[in-house]
Amino acid sequence: IDNVYFWTKIEELRDIFLSSKQPPFDIFHGGYNVMIKKMPNDEWTPVLIDYKRLGSRSYVFQPQLLLRSELRKKFLRRFKRFEDKYRA
């Protein structure tokens, strides 16, 4: 995806999710929950769909996710994979 506006909005979403106590892990996982809406002036905006899992309780028990730092690391790893896969 080669659109500066889109990636600006994605980074804003990342920051919003990081500031929450329970960042969602599946939003950026695989890129299946992000759609693109083409706006006027060649701007693309992300649209999130199928938002259902939130935080450490949405997966098999992973004791390390009781720590906020580990929640943050997991979220950032998934975001990085999304970015590597789709950013031009």
Side-chain angles (χ1 to χ4, degrees):
I1 302 168
D2 187 18
N3 187 275
V4 175
Y5 184 80
F6 175 83
W7 287 106
T8 302
K9 292 301 178 187
I10 286 291
E11 289 167 4
E12 287 176 17
L13 286 172
R14 178 199 60 205
D15 294 340
I16 289 168
F17 291 139
L18 279 176
S19 68
S20 72
K21 290 184 179 182
Q22 295 285 329
F25 296 134
D26 69 336
I27 292 292
F28 298 110
H29 184 63
Y32 305 116
N33 295 329
V34 178
M35 302 292 286
I36 299 172
K37 180 178 181 182
K38 292 186 179 183
M39 306 294 282
N41 301 329
D42 204 30
E43 293 177 344
W44 300 356
T45 187
V47 177
L48 303 179
I49 58 169
D50 197 26
Y51 176 61
K52 60 184 178 275
R53 292 185 182 170
L54 184 65
S56 60
R57 292 182 173 220
S58 62
Y59 292 93
V60 176
F61 182 62
Q62 298 175 40
Q64 73 276 16
L65 295 182
L66 295 173
L67 300 172
R68 177 129 171 86
S69 61
E70 294 301 316
L71 284 169
R72 182 179 172 87
K73 285 180 195 175
K74 183 170 183 162
F75 177 79
L76 288 173
R77 274 194 313 268
R78 290 206 168 178
F79 180 82
K80 178 75 171 126
R81 281 189 221 127
F82 170 80
E83 193 174 33
D84 290 346
K85 185 175 180 179
Y86 293 106
R87 191 170 220 156

